[in-house]
């Protein structure tokens, strides 16, 4: 997990889907870069490496801010990673 991320808000998968008004989250992998990401509606977010390794057992989604760029984005990760209290569809 990137140490340069500031965690702003963390939600359960169900809470995130309700907040965004979507009924599913798709986990995808880029054929070009090999990186994983998730899609909800017409938006997308980043995934921790545990999505690709299959180690994601208790997923949550956090809104995070990069200390380097100031960019905010959503990150799917293991609950407890980054100080925050399966390729497929959640």
């Amino acid at each position: 997990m990137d140490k340069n991320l500031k965690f702003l808000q963390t939600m359960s998968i169900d809470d995130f889907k309700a907040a965004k008004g979507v009924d599913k989250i798709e986990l995808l992998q880029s054929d070009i870069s090999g990186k994983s990401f998730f899609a909800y509606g017409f938006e997308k977010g980043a995934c921790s490496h545990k999505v690709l390794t299959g180690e994601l057992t208790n997923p949550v989604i956090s809104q995070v801010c990069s200390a380097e760029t100031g960019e905010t984005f959503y990150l799917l990760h293991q609950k407890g990673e980054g100080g925050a209290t399966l390729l497929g569809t959640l």
Side-chain angles (χ1 to χ4, degrees):
M1 185 65 59
D2 189 339
K3 301 288 185 207
N4 294 322
L5 295 177
K6 179 179 178 182
F7 285 73
L8 306 174
Q9 178 186 21
T10 299
M11 296 173 264
S12 70
I13 299 300
D14 288 339
D15 288 345
F16 182 84
K17 289 194 284 189
K20 296 300 180 183
V22 298
D23 60 351
K24 67 180 178 178
I25 295 173
E26 296 176 329
L27 303 179
L28 305 162
Q29 183 177 16
S30 169
D31 293 336
I32 298 169
S33 70
K35 292 184 179 182
S36 61
F37 62 98
F38 70 95
Y40 56 100
F42 295 107
E43 303 292 329
K44 64 182 178 178
C47 292
S48 78
H49 72 282
K50 289 190 177 185
V51 171
L52 287 177
T53 62
E55 300 174 76
L56 190 65
T57 58
N58 194 1
V60 293
I61 296 177
S62 293
Q63 184 178 35
V64 297
C65 180
S66 168
E68 294 174 7
T69 65
E71 175 189 12
T72 51
F73 58 94
Y74 288 105
L75 174 66
L76 174 67
H77 63 97
Q78 181 77 5
K79 184 176 181 180
E81 279 186 329
T85 298
L86 351 161
L87 292 172
T89 301
L90 300 174

